[in-house]
């Protein structure tokens, strides 16, 4: 929220500069994002007289002006159509600075220049270029009676301010106005808070001018109506326009500007109705059980769903409650009588409506956070007084106030011992009371150990004792609290087995040279459609936007998107892993009915695995690179020896623990790569951490085995089989028939050619045998080899190759 430094000074006598004020606000919890200067003294901008105007020889739309500056004459190139001889005009001389912000954040400084070959020394200014208005149709023509050379600062009442942009957290609705920010500053600086004087009218339930009915008291706790008759709609006075412009609000007219002014002053959103458009002299706050089409002030016809709260007259809706008024009841130049609306709407109701309509207004921003439920009548009276001041008219004596749902203040007791224990201070109750004094908390009772406060309704965030302790700390200034001279050791709770497994998975993947990526669990429906049937996926009921509408069924989206991002920025290869949740539709569900939620880990490589240099050429990743990574991953987890694998097709390999599928290694298809805009080969393995955890809970831990005393015996042989038979199938039989003495098995050669027959291939295996009790020889190994070969001949029609 933008806060005006000048406006704050109307509430408190600030002894701090704008920069010091910004620093203090951040220290007390109202974080300042930036400060910027508004307006200018327009130093160097003076009254000049145009002596001559002639066409530019090299540009059709430019003119050359000879300008008298009083003590000198200069030439200025001007592009305005309305410049003419004899005019008195504002001239920005060389070296002056105008309040025109450039892309780099600096302001435009006038320099001597050449425009299309002609010298230009200065600038004849338009109204908006001086910050004096919004008109940019041509240059600003001044009164003929002005003396040449007079500084513009003496001609106009210039407004300068410093704007402080504060990031308001959702729990601080009281800080969405200048009074709330000033209240915090006054409490922190121990200064008096000066509030505007407001004359309260007579409160009634009904009047001759207007009848108010609230049909849904859950969504509208209070509605106040105040009449001002006989107003004249015109431009707001300069002081009011300046204040609104400074905080980025566009002035409209004197009545609308006052409602905006009061909202930024006190924090209560207001709306002004043209009274003559309120049919039946009746206001009804209600919702409908059907969809309603309604045209708002921005001239957009909106379809409002069942349950949307409306402000209605006797015929129908005139405003969407808490969001925006209707086009038929807006204040216009012909308006003479005003009905001021000041209400409290349920935050949840306004939040739903604003989100549904994708329409966040200054009013809905405040209603969503929760305005003070006891501020409505005060704000209406303040607005009525100001409207009468700037637009004339007579303020009605009566204020119609319908208040079916009242919000009472509550009490909190603060213990001195608890304050000092949490903050590390040594305050007594008098000190605590003085620190909190400026927050307008009513002190109910106090003794040496406790203080009981009545919490005002404009501070809904103060719910517990610790909330008050936080107020003590931030207002006293945490930097002033001395550091303890001793530390407190707190032993952390030990990690669960699940947390340890997740930690080990991350560490293992990092040790294998993979970089961790993080991606959002919500993806677009279009992206989700690449990974299966949308009917089997979980869609968000109320998505933040179209790109976050579906819970991801796989981690593949994050990998492909990150891979594409890196390739499009000249990366040659990637090695990624991600650990995260995936979701699919399921009748039973994991934690919630209908939603199966699992934790998966994805390992993926793509592109080049090395760059070209003098000693080697580039080499792309292959499926065997990823397979080696996956096997190393399983080995470090003590899983590899307990898993089996099965090739589903040429691009997919599945891993099983018994009958339970652990995960899949696969190649994303060309359609997927095209969808994610990259062409390099990619290889991915997605594994279920839940299934891994289940397997590890049964598999015994790895135990140390002594290094064998006796050497290993190696035996090589090759078999010829059909090309349709995979090496994995052969290895399973070899491992089964070789017995416990088989230490390892490797493939060291694969051959295909006419010499072994068409459709055949030769696979050469190297087997390593070890006996812990003796040195093995060929006589002891040969029977094992024969047993293996016979089994291969029987199961696969394999032939031993000589």
């Amino acid at each position: 929220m933008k806060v005006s430094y000048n406006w704050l000074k109307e509430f408190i006598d600030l002894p701090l500069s704008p920069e010091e004020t910004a620093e203090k606000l951040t220290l007390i919890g109202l974080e300042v994002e930036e400060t910027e200067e508004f307006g200018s003294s327009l130093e160097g901008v003076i009254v000049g007289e145009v002596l001559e105007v002639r066409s530019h020889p090299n540009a059709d739309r430019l003119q050359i002006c000879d300008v008298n500056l009083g003590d000198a004459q200069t030439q200025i190139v001007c592009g305005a159509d309305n410049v003419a001889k004899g005019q008195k005009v504002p001239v920005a001389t060389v070296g002056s600075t105008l309040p025109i912000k450039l892309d780099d954040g600096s302001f435009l400084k006038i320099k001597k220049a050449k425009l299309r070959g002609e010298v230009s020394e200065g600038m004849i200014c338009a109204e908006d270029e001086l910050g004096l208005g919004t008109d940019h149709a041509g240059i600003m023509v001044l009164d003929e009676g002005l003396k040449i050379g007079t500084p513009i600062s003496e001609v106009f009442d210039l407004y300068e301010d410093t704007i402080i942009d504060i990031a308001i957290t959702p729990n601080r609705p009281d800080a969405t106005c200048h009074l709330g920010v000033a209240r915090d500053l006054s409490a922190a600086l121990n200064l008096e808070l000066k509030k505007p004087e407001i004359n309260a009218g007579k409160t009634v339930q009904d009047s001759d001018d207007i009848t108010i009915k609230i049909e849904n008291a859950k969504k509208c706790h209070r509605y106040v109506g105040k009449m001002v008759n006989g107003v004249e709609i015109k431009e707001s006075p300069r002081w009011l326009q300046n204040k609104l412009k400074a905080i980025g609000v566009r002035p409209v007219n004197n009545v609308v500007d006052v409602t905006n002014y009061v909202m930024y002053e006190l924090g209560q959103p207001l709306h002004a109705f043209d009274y003559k458009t309120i049919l039946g002299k009746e206001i009804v706050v209600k919702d409908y059980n059907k969809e309603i089409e309604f045209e708002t002030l921005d001239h957009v016809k909106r379809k409002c769903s069942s349950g949307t709260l409306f402000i209605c007259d006797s015929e129908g809706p005139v405003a969407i409650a808490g969001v925006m008024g209707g086009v038929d009841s807006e204040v216009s130049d012909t308006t003479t009588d005003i009905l001021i609306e000041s209400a409290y709407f349920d935050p949840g109701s306004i939040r739903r409506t604003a989100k549904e309509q994708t329409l966040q207004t200054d009013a809905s921003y405040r209603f969503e956070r929760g305005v003070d439920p006891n501020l409505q009548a005060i704000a209406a009276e303040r607005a009525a007084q100001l409207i009468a001041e700037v637009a004339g008219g007579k303020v009605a004596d009566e204020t119609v106030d319908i208040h079916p749902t009242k919000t009472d203040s509550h009490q909190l007791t603060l213990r001195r011992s608890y304050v000092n224990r949490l903050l590390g201070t040594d305050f007594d109750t008098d000190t605590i009371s003085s620190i909190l004094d400026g927050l307008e908390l009513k002190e109910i009772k106090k003794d040496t150990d406790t203080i009981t406060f009545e919490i005002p309704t404009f501070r809904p965030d103060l719910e517990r004792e610790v909330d008050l302790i936080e107020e003590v700390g931030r207002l006293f200034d945490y930097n002033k609290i001395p550091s303890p001279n001793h530390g407190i050791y707190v032993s952390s709770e030990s990690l669960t087995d699940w947390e340890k497994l997740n930690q080990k998975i991350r560490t293992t993947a990092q040790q294998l040279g993979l970089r961790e990526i993080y991606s959002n669990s919500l993806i677009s429906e279009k992206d989700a459609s690449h990974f299966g049937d949308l009917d089997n996926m979980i869609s968000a009921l109320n998505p933040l936007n179209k790109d976050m509408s579906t819970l991801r069924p796989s981690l593949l989206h994050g990998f492909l998107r990150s891979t594409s991002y890196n390739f499009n920025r000249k990366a040659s290869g990637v090695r990624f892993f991600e650990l995260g949740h995936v979701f699919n539709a399921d009748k039973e569900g994991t934690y919630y009915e209908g939603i199966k939620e699992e934790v998966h880990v994805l390992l993926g490589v793509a592109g080049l695995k090395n760059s070209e240099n003098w000693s080697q050429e580039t080499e792309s990743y292959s499926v065997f690179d990823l397979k080696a990574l996956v096997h190393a991953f399983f080995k470090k987890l003590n899983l590899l020896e307990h898993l089996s694998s099965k090739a589903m097709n040429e691009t997919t390999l599945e891993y099983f623990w018994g009958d339970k599928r652990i995960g899949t290694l696969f190649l994303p298809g060309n359609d997927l790569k095209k969808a994610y805009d990259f062409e390099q080969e990619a290889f991915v393995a997605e594994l279920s951490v839940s299934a891994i955890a289940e397997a590890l809970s049964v598999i015994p831990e790895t135990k140390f085995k002594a290094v064998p005393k006796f050497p290993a015996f190696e035996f090589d042989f090759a078999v010829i089989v059909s090309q349709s038979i995979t090496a994995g199938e052969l290895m399973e039989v070899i491992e089964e028939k070789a017995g416990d003495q088989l230490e390892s098995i490797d493939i060291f050669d694969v051959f295909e050619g006419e010499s072994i027959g068409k459709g055949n291939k030769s696979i050469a295996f190297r087997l390593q045998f070890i006996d812990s009790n003796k040195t093995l020889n060929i006589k002891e190994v040969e029977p094992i080899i024969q047993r293996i070969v016979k089994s291969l001949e029987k199961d696969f029609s394999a032939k031993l190759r000589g």
Side-chain angles (χ1 to χ4, degrees), residues 741-746 766-769:
Q741 291 178 323
L742 180 65
E743 181 69 16
S744 66
I745 177 173
D746 294 300
R766 175 166 293 149
L767 279 57
Q768 189 177 78
F769 297 90

Side-chain angles (χ1 to χ4, degrees), residues 4 7 10 38 157 159 161 178 232 234-265 270 382-392:
S4 159
W7 204 340
E10 295 180 12
F38 175 82
D157 180 20
Y159 184 78
D161 200 353
H178 285 76
E232 180 186 358
K234 55 185 178 181
E235 272 195 358
S236 295
R238 179 69 66 181
W239 68 266
L240 180 52
Q241 289 194 43
N242 284 339
K243 282 192 172 181
L244 294 179
K245 286 178 186 176
I247 58 175
V249 178
R250 180 179 64 85
V252 179
N253 58 52
N254 47 5
V255 170
V256 174
D257 291 350
V258 164
T259 60
N260 285 328
Y261 176 87
V262 174
M263 177 177 66
Y264 280 98
E265 179 186 52
L270 303 170
R382 172 66 168 162
Q385 288 174 211
L386 287 174
I387 289 173
E389 179 183 322
V390 302

Side-chain angles (χ1 to χ4, degrees), residues 409-416 419 428-447 449-456 462-465 467-469 471-472:
S409 57
H410 65 282
Q411 294 183 2
L412 283 178
T413 298
L414 193 59
R415 293 167 290 169
R416 177 184 62 84
V419 172
D428 56 29
T429 52
D430 288 336
T431 303
I432 294 170
S433 183
S434 65
I435 291 171
L436 296 177
D437 181 56
L439 292 181
E440 299 185 55
L441 310 180
K442 185 178 178 181
E443 196 174 291
I444 304 299
K445 63 180 180 179
K446 179 176 69 174
D447 55 36
D449 295 316
T450 61
I451 317 172
T452 300
F453 293 101
E454 184 176 309
I455 308 302
L462 302 181
E463 299 176 328
R464 303 170 298 164
E465 184 180 8
D467 297 329
L468 279 178
I469 294 174
E471 298 298 292
V472 174

